[in-house]
Amino acid sequence: MRAQVDSSEASVISPRLHRMLSRLLDGIASLCLLVAGVLLVFLIASFGWLVFGRYVLNDTPTWVEQSSLLIVVYITCLGAAAGVRGNAHLSIDFIRESLPGPLKTTARYVADLFVLIFGGFMAHEGWGLVMSNLQRAIPMIGLTESWRAVPLVICGVLIALFAFANLLARILDLHHQEDA
């Protein structure tokens, strides 16, 4: 026999689950920003070492350029994923926001769906790049070129996850409940 759940109990469970998942996703986004921040500090320090090595020691560290190119990709992708979670990414929404109620709501669903599809496409194509570059080495640092594509996979998965969560929350009308 299946237990019956009345609507008042279901409405209590759903927001609680939403808050728990929201905290988890916010934590993942915060971790992305933390890792990006640490990498940014390392990037600045490595450029400081480059300048010191070149002008003081007269011995330029050759690994800095290639490692910096790699680190910038990680910083950018992690920041982009966190931006999707916080709805802080670049968007042009003045047209959508000027639409009447039902059209505006539909446009928000479509935008979330496009971001979800884009994240999935990015992860899929990034994985293809990872697999196709396993044998090619990055000069000066000894890693394979696949490491340049790994952030695309991570970012794509996170963008898709965050966009799915936004879309699900919109479908369940949980954003409206949070604002109230």
Side-chain angles (χ1 to χ4, degrees):
M1 177 183 261
R2 219 171 112 192
Q4 296 291 328
V5 178
D6 67 3
S7 62
S8 63
E9 187 177 343
S11 66
V12 171
I13 294 171
S14 182
R16 185 178 312 152
L17 179 62
H18 175 258
R19 280 192 303 274
M20 185 177 72
L21 289 174
S22 184
R23 274 187 254 153
L24 175 67
L25 295 175
D26 288 343
I28 293 170
S30 295
L31 181 63
C32 288
L33 291 176
L34 177 69
V35 170
V38 168
L39 288 173
L40 186 59
V41 169
F42 178 76
L43 183 69
I44 293 167
S46 68
F47 273 107
W49 178 250
L50 174 76
V51 171
F52 181 77
R54 179 177 292 160
Y55 295 110
V56 176
L57 301 176
N58 201 24
D59 183 23
T60 303
T62 56
W63 56 268
V64 173
E65 180 184 355
Q66 289 300 321
S67 65
S68 298
L69 291 172
L70 184 63
I71 290 169
V72 165
V73 175
Y74 279 86
I75 292 169
T76 303
C77 287
L78 291 172
V84 170
R85 176 62 189 156
N87 287 318
H89 53 85
L90 178 63
S91 66
I92 302 171
D93 58 2
F94 65 92
I95 295 172
R96 180 185 67 209
E97 296 305 316
S98 66
L99 294 172
L103 287 176
K104 183 190 308 185
T105 302
T106 303
R108 287 179 177 162
Y109 284 116
V110 169
D112 286 340
L113 188 60
F114 277 150
V115 173
L116 173 65
I117 291 168
F118 174 76
F121 180 78
M122 183 184 222
H124 179 266
E125 294 302 314
W127 182 252
L129 286 172
V130 167
M131 297 312 292
S132 67
N133 287 308
L134 288 171
Q135 302 302 318
R136 295 180 50 207
I138 299 173
M140 309 293 179
I141 58 176
L143 296 173
T144 67
E145 284 285 345
S146 292
W147 285 101
R148 291 192 205 271
V150 167
L152 297 175
V153 177
I154 295 168
C155 180
V157 167
L158 290 174
I159 284 175
L161 176 68
F162 294 153
F164 178 74
N166 291 344
L167 186 61
L168 187 62
R170 195 175 309 285
I171 289 169
L172 298 174
D173 198 29
L174 294 173
H175 284 302
H176 183 273
Q177 291 177 9
E178 285 180 353
D179 295 338

